[in-house]
Amino acid sequence: MSSLVRRALLSALLLCASAPALGQGLITSAAPDSVSVSVYRAPDRDSDTAMDLDWLEGYALVTEKRTVEIPAGKATIRFEGVAAGLFPESAIVTGLPAGVREKNLDADLLSPRSLYARMFGRPITLRRTLPGSGGVREERAVIRSGPDGAAILQTAAGFEVANCGGLDDEILYAQAPKDLSARPTLSIETQSATAQKVTLSLSYLAWGFDWQTNYVIHMNPDGRTADLAAWVTLASSDSTSFPDAETAVIAGEVNREDTERGAVPTGEELELQCELSSLPPPPPPPPAPPPPMAPAPVMMMESADIVVTAQRAKGMAAPVTVQQEGLGDLKLYRVPVPVTVAANAQKQVALAQKTGVKMQALYRAEMWEDSVGEVRQMLRTRNRKEEGLGLPLPGGPVAVFEPMGSAMLLAGEGGLEDRAVGEDVEILLSDSTQVTAAVEELERKGRARTARLTATNARPVPVSFEARIASSPGTQIRAKGAKLTRKDGRDTWAVTIPANGTATLTYTLTDPE
């Protein structure tokens, strides 16, 4: 940020801090006494897909407790420090003597960009450092352009384009617009017969949050069991932090019709350029200028990206485990201790730790009649206590590690969909390079086609392999010398391929008449 922009913003903040109250009935609640945050997963994101940290589309239910003293008569209560992505229509305030008459979300935050934009057509002070002597000169000017592109100022000497010289110049604002707040603010209007101190409950929905479960599976040397660790990863792209919040995440799909996102209240920086691609219509002629003066030096502003930056700090494993509760058809996972849901950050909390989980490693090929796709690695188990699980499994990314000597190496990555207790669990991993499959047509006679599937194993150990054959309605599939099972609407061939060997399946497809 340039010194010009930084000093301008500091001047505005000081003005705001020292400004008198706008009216006798204005009450400001600077922060909540306590807060709880319940995060819902993005409605349109598949449960086994990782969330996009640059575009979080989930939302949170935020509930705050605040203590305020309200006067008799009409009053405006300002709740500072609410979530920047708050949906004003969802805000519910309880505890007021006569309820709420009106709600407003102050969507613009005090920033160099918003200050410049709001002062369009208004007088400002231009402070210039004179070349050579280092002296300072101030003069009145009027902003004649918006915050995008070049900065055009009108002085007594005429019009000037800022950001194109080598001087150290500053813009000073005499006052900050009253509707600009330094923090996201929700204001309500109410009326009370008497002055009193009340404890309010403020609840609202806010977008810009999301969460997912991350699974880490360590295969044991026996190849038939594994150790599973699950972590809840909660992310916020909101500019507001919620310290010591009672936090929970909600698993399951909520029947919610989303609306378009509103503008995000952000403290944007100011970026001005020299190029004049297009100019706004000329303003009305200025008053008659004083006698001509020497051309004023051109002002220079340092360029700054119009972004709000914050380091995403992935939280370390906390020594707590979320507790599962029921919420209708949904599952609620509550963090048993208060945690800070920080702005533009992630936090991880343990969900489950299971050892000795029975896990079958195999390879699968998806087929369509007499064609075959890529062979994929996969893991299979059943979500029961007998297999070492027996708990609801929210969907999320999976990383699988296998022992290699004394080290654990990454063997594959995949995803797990939401799975209830008792359901089969299948984790598809990456395409295989050492186990492959190919199909060739052997014979075609009338409505019948005979094909042969050959699965090849280049690994030095036997592997389990299965092929799932899908077909058109009415098409019959018959295998020669092998047994096919019917599962999930597909004929499935399961076989063990020997080390460095092959396995074949000959089958006939008979099309319907």
Side-chain angles (χ1 to χ4, degrees), residues 14 98 117 138 231 401 468 500:
L14 292 175
E138 294 184 355
W231 297 88
F401 294 83
R468 301 202 310 175
N500 298 308

Side-chain angles (χ1 to χ4, degrees), residues 264-288:
V264 188
T266 57
E268 295 180 318
E269 297 180 1
L270 184 63
E271 180 181 13
L272 296 172
Q273 303 171 354
C274 285
E275 292 79 5
L276 292 177
S277 56
S278 61
L279 293 176

Side-chain angles (χ1 to χ4, degrees), residues 66-225:
R66 296 179 182 243
T67 302
V68 297
E69 295 186 6
I70 57 176
K74 294 182 180 180
T76 299
I77 304 176
R78 301 177 73 251
F79 299 109
E80 292 185 343
V82 296
L86 180 150
F87 291 104
E89 66 275 14
S90 70
I92 300 175
V93 181
T94 58
L96 287 171
V100 178
R101 299 175 63 247
E102 183 178 315
K103 296 182 295 185
N104 297 285
L105 176 64
D106 301 337
D108 285 337
L109 295 184
L110 186 63
S111 69
R113 180 180 174 84
S114 61
L115 271 174
Y116 186 94
R118 293 299 182 88
M119 296 303 290
F120 176 83
R122 301 183 186 182
I124 52 93
T125 299
L126 181 61
R127 176 182 292 171
R128 289 195 162 112
T129 302
L130 301 179
S133 64
V136 176
R137 185 185 70 194
E138 294 184 355
E139 61 179 301
R140 301 290 284 174
V142 177
I143 294 177
R144 293 300 187 186
S145 68
D148 297 314
I152 301 177
L153 303 178
Q154 180 184 2
T155 66
F159 292 91
E160 303 176 18
V161 180
N163 198 33
C164 299
L167 301 180
D168 184 12
D169 300 324
E170 298 178 66
I171 290 180
L172 303 179
Y173 302 94
Q175 62 181 1
K178 296 178 180 179
D179 57 347
L180 289 182
S181 173
R183 303 166 64 197
T185 302
L186 176 72
S187 61
I188 64 171
E189 292 186 5
T190 186
Q191 186 168 0
S192 176
T194 60
Q196 54 187 301
K197 184 176 183 179
V198 297
T199 300
L200 306 178
S201 175
L202 169 63
S203 299
Y204 56 86
L205 293 175
W207 60 266
F209 298 81
D210 206 349
W211 75 277
Q212 69 185 25
T213 307
N214 290 83
Y215 293 91
V216 178
I217 296 178
H218 284 187
M219 297 298 298
N220 292 325
D222 60 15
R224 297 187 298 273
T225 61

Side-chain angles (χ1 to χ4, degrees), residues 58 462 485:
T485 58

Side-chain angles (χ1 to χ4, degrees), residues 483-500:
K483 182 181 180 181
L484 301 181
T485 58
R486 189 77 174 171
K487 184 179 180 181
D488 298 332
R490 299 187 180 188
D491 292 289
T492 302
W493 174 52
V495 68
T496 298
I497 310 175
N500 298 308

Side-chain angles (χ1 to χ4, degrees), residues 360-380:
Q360 180 189 9
L362 66 151
Y363 294 82
R364 172 186 286 175
E366 298 289 349
M367 299 182 59
W368 173 258
E369 297 186 350
D370 55 358
S371 63
V372 63
E374 295 293 331
V375 178
R376 296 185 66 178
Q377 306 174 65
M378 64 177 296
L379 297 176
R380 176 187 290 155

